[in-house]
Amino acid sequence: MKNRITELFQHAKKPVLSVFYTAGFPNLNDTGTIATALEAAGADLIEIGIPFSDPVADGPTIQASNKQALDNGMTVELLLKQVAAIRNQVTLPIILMGYVNPVMQYGFERFFTDAANAGVDGLILPDLPLDEYETYRELTTALNLSISFLISPTTSEARIRKIDASSSGFIYAVSASSTTGAKAEFSAEQSEYFAKLKALELKNPFLIGFGVSNYKTYTQVCAHAAGAIVGSSFVKMLSQTKDFDADIKTFITSLTTPK
Amino acid sequence: MKYQVDERGYYGNFGGAYIPEMLYPNVEELRSQYLQIIAQPEFQTEFNELLRAYVGRPTPLYHATRLSEKYNAAIYLKREDLCHTGAHKINNTIGQIILAKRLGKQKIIAETGAGQHGVATATVCALMGMECIVYMGKLDMERQRPNVERMRILGAQVIAAVSGNMTLKDATNEAMRHWINHPTDTHYIIGSVVGPHPYPHMVALFQSVISEEIKKQLQQAIGQPNPDYVIACVGGGSNAAGAFYHYLNEVHVNLVGVEAAGKGVDSGESAATTALGKPGVLHGSKTLLMQTTDGQVIEPYSISAGLDYPGIGPLHSHLFETGRVQFLNATDEEAMQAGIELARTEGIIPAIESAHALAALSKLELTAEDVVVVNLSGRGDKDLETYIRWGKY
């Protein structure tokens, strides 16, 4: 069987929209409800965050969602059960994204195996060092899991090439040297960076995230990348909504179509 | 070399650099240059001269005769409490600020728990005319008001960390976030032997002056450089790393690390990481960490804000795992009593952190022939309110 993420990029006729949210937020069992609503609303990729007590790369919005999810009782074990249930209802590729410690405690091999069995297609572990990952590459390849690493505007070209070689599925390009959080628009300098990335003609397609929050930022990144990742602004909306289906639909539409 | 960091940044099974890519260039810039810069003669001259003329080094190695009598051993106190700003922390901030200057950085950030590292950082920033931002947990700011004001008097901006339990761990998270957002002009002065490689090694190097001096001073005092015991408290473990450093390969020297047991190791309110922790990743390195089975970090507790950290430096995890260092712990009560005891027998009020090290004296089976060095890492001025609240004196 082909990896759903690889398939998605191979056949994509428009920019790919990947949506991030924290598992178990706002309520413990909302993880599945949100996934179903995202598929109905037209998202292309679902990125589910594994909550952690100390999310150092995240801004206030996602920090708060992590804390609430943990207070709600979210665990890696429960999340994998939820994903298995989601897999029965959703055909979109599913990515789990999380800090390395909860995965390490669950056990790397066990986590990769159980995630693949639950129907997960890809992983993003931002603080997993490249050389540590090499230890598990054989296993993740056998399990047909894609692994996406991050790059930032301060990442050197040599290192981008190295990360491209280690990554599969896609590369997660961070729009700025920053923690996660919404921005109104990107600067000319950032657009230049996006264009430069495109010119590198990497092996993997790249998605741009951090700061994508509206139609303007969405189109700015899609002009150069294979698509966009939206996180903080979506999580913020989730913290306020009373009607997942309607508000998720509105959110996705307003992001991808001009007013 | 068994206890030295390897080229990948590991001490045995612990260490490394578990950082998001946004921090990679910052850390890599430091990693690729720190050894070379520190080895430069001009660096060494500036560092040593500031330690001498500004910090007040060498700090005395004091033969505490009344305390020695009490414990029936020859007890020496390494007087880091006499350093400028009141603790060993400044050895490291002096080293790192010179390094930061040589890396062309204009701004400094730091985290602080009790405020000692924050004050030491604010001090060297004032000395070098550099901009300084210190992150401090909101709760710690309330517990340690005088240190907050000391930092402000020195010209630093103190920013309250309002995430998590609003203590040292959260202040460290906020400092790391700040560094992610300011990658080019800012150097992050980490205050302990924690964080991604090369921090644990670099901070240990700057603190190693402590054991370098002890060796020379003991040679003068007793005719040989090695004691039977070196005792130091361990929060993150910077003063212990400095006091142990030049003794790591001297296998006949017993090295003792003392952690904070808080209200008791099994009380649920403790910071005794080696007793309660498992290998995990926090703040960029793999180390022993107090955490749930699901990998969520447990909030530590100690009466001493400087020991209130859920992990220890990767060097210490390695020293624990290999058995090179014996780890003990002391409760709040034991530490406070040991603090008062030192005040009454020697006329020295120790920092509550250092009082934990003193509390180990009664736990070791010492003999009259034993030579014991206790690293008195800081003075108790900052803890006056805690002593007063505790009240039993």
Side-chain angles (χ1 to χ4, degrees):
Chain A
M1 198 180 94
K2 274 205 165 178
N3 180 288
R4 286 187 193 88
I5 298 168
T6 314
E7 291 271 281
L8 169 69
F9 283 101
Q10 267 170 10
H11 302 120
K13 293 190 177 64
K14 60 179 185 58
V16 166
L17 176 63
S18 184
V19 183
F20 171 92
Y21 62 99
T22 305
F25 173 85
N27 299 297
L28 188 61
N29 293 316
D30 289 340
T31 320
T33 318
I34 295 166
T36 320
L38 275 173
E39 181 158 75
D44 301 304
L45 237 166
I46 297 173
E47 258 177 57
I48 305 176
I50 306 167
F52 182 47
S53 54
D54 295 85
V56 292
D58 285 299
T61 305
I62 293 177
Q63 282 174 43
S65 70
N66 275 252
K67 182 166 191 321
Q68 190 171 328
L70 292 174
D71 289 346
N72 290 343
M74 183 45 73
T75 64
V76 174
E77 208 162 313
L78 176 60
L79 172 56
L80 290 171
K81 280 187 195 143
Q82 289 182 343
V83 169
I86 294 169
R87 188 74 287 168
N88 291 328
Q89 290 160 11
V90 167
T91 59
L92 294 184
I94 297 171
I95 288 174
L96 294 186
M97 178 168 185
Y99 292 87
V100 78
N101 195 51
V103 173
M104 184 182 280
Q105 300 316 312
Y106 190 89
F108 282 107
E109 281 95 350
R110 180 175 163 229
F111 176 77
F112 294 142
T113 309
D114 290 359
N117 289 338
V120 169
D121 304 287
L123 298 169
I124 306 172
L125 303 168
D127 55 349
L128 177 69
L130 278 183
D131 57 343
E132 294 286 324
Y133 166 63
E134 287 305 323
T135 328
Y136 305 108
R137 174 196 287 285
E138 216 173 296
L139 177 64
T140 54
T141 308
L143 292 167
N144 202 18
L145 283 171
S146 81
I147 307 284
S148 297
F149 284 96
L150 271 59
I151 58 174
S152 92
T154 49
T155 309
S156 69
E157 185 181 335
R159 188 163 163 84
I160 292 175
R161 301 273 177 211
K162 195 174 163 193
I163 288 169
D164 189 34
S166 284
S167 295
S168 48
F170 64 93
I171 286 178
Y172 190 140
V174 170
S175 66
S177 301
S178 75
T179 45
T180 56
K183 302 249 177 6
E185 63 178 314
F186 291 121
S187 65
E189 203 184 353
Q190 284 174 296
S191 284
E192 233 170 82
Y193 166 64
F194 304 155
K196 214 186 291 173
L197 273 185
K198 189 180 186 179
L200 291 177
E201 298 187 346
L202 301 172
K203 170 190 92 167
N204 290 286
F206 66 96
L207 297 180
I208 295 173
F210 284 35
V212 179
S213 64
N214 52 26
Y215 180 68
K216 170 116 191 162
T217 46
Y218 172 78
T219 47
Q220 275 181 306
V221 304
C222 290
H224 305 288
I229 299 171
V230 59
S232 294
S233 58
F234 184 71
V235 169
K236 192 166 187 186
M237 181 276 289
L238 291 178
S239 69
Q240 294 157 351
T241 182
K242 299 259 176 316
D243 182 346
F244 283 129
D245 288 340
D247 286 349
I248 289 174
K249 178 90 196 154
T250 309
F251 182 91
I252 301 293
T253 309
S254 70
L255 192 70
T256 52
T257 49
K259 268 184 197 147
Chain B
M1 292 305 282
K2 196 174 158 193
Y3 306 110
Q4 281 296 334
V5 74
D6 69 21
E7 67 284 353
R8 291 167 55 242
Y10 279 80
Y11 296 94
N13 295 316
F14 302 101
Y18 292 78
I19 45 172
E21 189 59 30
M22 293 82 81
L23 274 180
Y24 183 86
N26 313 25
V27 172
E28 179 58 20
E29 180 185 29
L30 197 61
R31 190 202 63 79
S32 61
Q33 297 188 55
Y34 82 111
L35 288 175
Q36 184 205 335
I37 292 176
I38 293 171
Q40 287 166 359
E42 314 86 76
F43 180 98
Q44 284 297 321
T45 306
E46 189 176 0
F47 180 56
N48 291 325
E49 182 53 20
L50 281 172
L51 288 187
R52 187 192 66 80
Y54 187 72
V55 175
R57 303 204 73 91
T59 58
L61 184 71
Y62 165 67
H63 185 197
T65 47
R66 298 228 304 141
L67 197 67
S68 297
E69 223 170 276
K70 190 153 191 175
Y71 287 100
N72 189 35
I75 298 171
Y76 290 81
L77 302 177
K78 180 58 175 163
R79 299 291 309 273
E80 292 300 299
D81 60 316
L82 295 177
C83 287
H84 177 42
T85 73
H88 72 290
K89 290 287 184 192
I90 195 157
N91 302 330
N92 168 47
T93 60
I94 292 269
Q96 285 203 47
I97 199 136
I98 303 174
L99 188 70
K101 257 193 342 186
R102 276 154 210 264
L103 287 169
K105 307 293 175 181
Q106 292 103 44
K107 295 176 185 173
I108 297 293
I109 52 167
E111 83 296 336
T112 196
Q116 287 305 102
H117 173 59
V119 168
T121 305
T123 299
V124 296
C125 287
L127 178 68
M128 299 289 181
M130 280 167 96
E131 195 180 321
C132 180
I133 296 176
V134 178
Y135 286 91
M136 189 170 186
K138 190 163 172 281
L139 186 69
D140 287 338
M141 285 179 73
E142 288 158 13
R143 292 198 287 192
Q144 309 279 340
R145 264 199 72 78
N147 270 345
V148 175
E149 297 311 322
R150 283 171 85 191
M151 288 185 266
R152 287 179 176 153
I153 289 169
L154 290 160
Q157 185 190 354
V158 184
I159 301 181
V162 294
S163 53
N165 268 32
M166 301 186 276
T167 61
L168 176 57
K169 172 173 83 79
D170 313 294
T172 309
N173 290 341
E174 290 302 332
M176 288 193 142
R177 288 178 187 124
H178 183 108
W179 207 23
I180 287 174
N181 284 286
H182 302 84
T184 47
D185 62 350
T186 302
H187 174 69
Y188 177 17
I189 299 189
I190 295 184
S192 194
V193 286
V194 302
H197 177 65
Y199 277 101
H201 183 229
M202 181 173 69
V203 176
L205 274 181
F206 291 142
Q207 293 294 358
S208 69
V209 65
I210 299 173
S211 49
E212 191 184 315
E213 288 175 5
I214 296 173
K215 278 195 154 185
K216 286 184 200 153
Q217 291 166 322
L218 266 187
Q219 178 71 45
Q220 281 203 331
I222 61 169
Q224 57 135 326
N226 294 351
D228 297 290
Y229 291 91
V230 178
I231 307 174
C233 66
V234 177
S238 69
N239 91 81
F244 296 164
Y245 197 89
H246 291 286
Y247 290 116
L248 289 172
N249 291 319
E250 309 279 3
V251 292
H252 298 297
V253 179
N254 297 294
L255 304 176
V256 180
V258 188
E259 294 185 294
K263 296 180 177 167
V265 171
D266 300 316
S267 66
E269 290 183 81
S270 155
T273 305
T274 58
L276 301 169
K278 286 177 301 173
V281 171
L282 181 68
H283 297 147
S285 66
K286 185 178 175 187
T287 193
L288 290 173
L289 186 62
M290 288 169 50
Q291 54 183 318
T292 66
T293 51
D294 199 47
Q296 308 302 335
V297 180
I298 290 175
E299 295 290 344
Y301 163 81
S302 164
I303 193 167
S304 146
L307 301 181
D308 199 351
Y309 186 73
I312 51 174
L315 165 65
H316 291 297
S317 294
H318 180 56
L319 295 173
F320 172 74
E321 194 176 71
T322 55
R324 176 64 189 95
V325 171
Q326 178 187 7
F327 279 84
L328 302 174
N329 53 67
T331 62
D332 289 355
E333 190 70 20
E334 290 168 330
M336 295 307 287
Q337 280 171 9
I340 298 296
E341 181 183 71
L342 188 73
R344 295 293 162 88
T345 54
E346 298 290 349
I348 299 168
I349 304 174
I352 296 168
E353 290 80 5
S354 320
H356 283 74
L358 293 163
L361 287 170
S362 62
K363 297 171 192 265
L364 296 167
E365 285 174 18
L366 302 174
T367 67
E369 290 76 43
D370 285 334
V371 175
V372 181
V373 175
V374 179
N375 194 37
L376 204 67
S377 55
R379 70 178 84 132
D381 303 23
K382 69 177 175 64
D383 295 318
L384 217 54
E385 251 188 68
T386 312
Y387 275 113
I388 294 166
R389 232 179 298 125
W390 183 69
K392 295 173 222 166
Y393 53 87

